[in-house]
Amino acid sequence: MEKCIFCQIVVGEIPCEKVYEDAEVFAFLDIVPVNAGHTLVIPKKHYENIFEVPDELFGHLGVVAKKVAHAIKDGVGADGVNVAMNNGKHAGQVVFHAHIHVMPRYEGDGYQLWKGREYKEHERGEVGEKIRKQIR
Ligand code: 5GP
Ligand code: ZN
């Protein structure tokens, strides 16, 4: 099977601005940053998204994302960071190799987070129960 774009980045077939690498995890600058320093933290091995990444590896990705968040805050002087992961086409995933975005944010940079909506009557309890039943 043909390698995906991030698998090609991991092996150096496509150039990138690498900021971190260990045996399992790789991190590099997003080519279209929200703000300069926007980093993608990925497993070296190809997994499509959060639903496929093994638990232990996901834990390690989280630890690296935290390490990168500190480095972004200190390195480019961000006021804060957003950490996000798009999983599935309808959640905005465009590259189907799991990745965590770590995005520097600044006071007044103009980006807005998604808007919430109110729950309808009884909806919150019903939805909470549906999810509790599925926790494994
Ligand atoms: P998604 O929407 O799948 O969560 O985000 C994919 C991200 O990958 C986008 O922010 C996009 O800018 C970034 N990206 C896509 N192709 C490349 C590439 O070839 N190199 C780098 N460094 N980033 C890429
Ligand atoms: Zn891949």
Side-chain angles (χ1 to χ4, degrees):
M1 219 179 76
E2 218 172 275
K3 281 200 226 59
C4 89
I5 190 161
F6 286 179
C7 283
Q8 291 178 72
I9 285 177
V10 168
V11 296
E13 288 171 9
I14 293 178
C16 76
E17 189 65 31
K18 181 173 81 178
V19 298
Y20 175 86
E21 180 176 12
D22 65 30
E24 288 95 29
V25 174
F26 195 90
F28 57 103
L29 297 188
D30 194 297
I31 208 166
V32 186
V34 159
N35 281 314
H38 178 167
T39 298
L40 301 174
V41 179
I42 71 171
K44 284 184 166 175
K45 193 168 166 205
H46 184 94
Y47 294 101
E48 190 163 308
N49 54 37
I50 196 170
F51 304 114
E52 311 290 334
V53 178
D55 288 356
E56 201 179 320
L57 178 55
F58 195 79
H60 184 42
L61 281 171
V63 170
V64 174
K66 180 177 175 182
K67 205 187 278 293
V68 167
H70 275 289
I72 286 176
K73 193 164 168 288
D74 298 340
V76 297
D79 295 324
V81 296
N82 287 124
V83 177
M85 185 176 192
N86 302 326
N87 297 282
K89 184 170 129 191
H90 297 295
Q93 188 174 7
V94 173
V95 176
F96 291 89
H97 180 131
H99 53 279
I100 298 175
H101 294 259
V102 187
M103 296 165 277
R105 295 297 305 276
Y106 298 92
E107 184 184 1
D109 67 11
Y111 289 106
Q112 301 211 333
L113 299 180
W114 47 80
K115 263 199 171 142
R117 64 151 175 97
E118 302 278 317
Y119 275 109
K120 298 184 203 98
E121 215 190 341
H122 306 305
E123 190 189 10
R124 188 172 66 167
E126 287 164 13
V127 170
E129 183 58 15
K130 281 183 186 167
I131 295 172
R132 277 191 295 275
K133 276 186 176 157
Q134 293 297 330
I135 297 283
R136 280 167 263 178

